[in-house]
Amino acid sequence: MLMIRLARVGARKQPHYRIVVIEKDRARNGRSVEVVGTYNPRTNPATVTLKRDRIDYWVGNGAQLSERVGKLLAQAPAAEPAITA
């Protein structure tokens, strides 16, 4: 089963995340199928960049959203690919 979830890529005490499509049982930073966005909580306000068309494609093919990614998508307007949350 595929999940759309966060994968941490930042240095120690400087978190930065990729929003990835990955197998559910893989490790947090394991090999992903596709990167569909980024999330940077260190900016003020936090920066979220999403590839909406690819997220919709994967959800249509059965991928599930993690709780955090679901919240990020709910905050994002539907028309804009890049937003600040």
Side-chain angles (χ1 to χ4, degrees):
M1 174 189 300
L2 293 174
M3 289 283 298
I4 300 176
R5 65 184 189 200
L6 298 175
R8 185 179 166 135
V9 292
R12 186 171 59 129
K13 295 189 178 181
Q14 296 180 4
H16 187 89
Y17 300 92
R18 289 183 184 148
I19 301 171
V20 297
V21 179
I22 193 168
E23 286 289 330
K24 185 173 184 170
D25 57 347
R26 287 206 184 251
R28 177 192 71 189
N29 291 339
R31 187 173 61 191
S32 61
V33 177
E34 183 179 356
V35 177
V36 293
T38 60
Y39 170 55
N40 187 359
R42 293 180 47 88
T43 60
N44 190 9
T47 305
V48 180
T49 305
L50 302 169
K51 297 178 186 174
R52 280 285 188 162
D53 57 334
R54 295 306 295 165
I55 292 172
D56 293 339
Y57 168 80
W58 285 111
V59 170
N61 283 333
Q64 293 183 344
L65 299 172
S66 70
E67 186 176 333
R68 185 68 208 161
V69 172
K71 288 179 183 179
L72 291 173
L73 282 173
Q75 294 174 356
E80 288 187 83
I83 61 125
T84 55

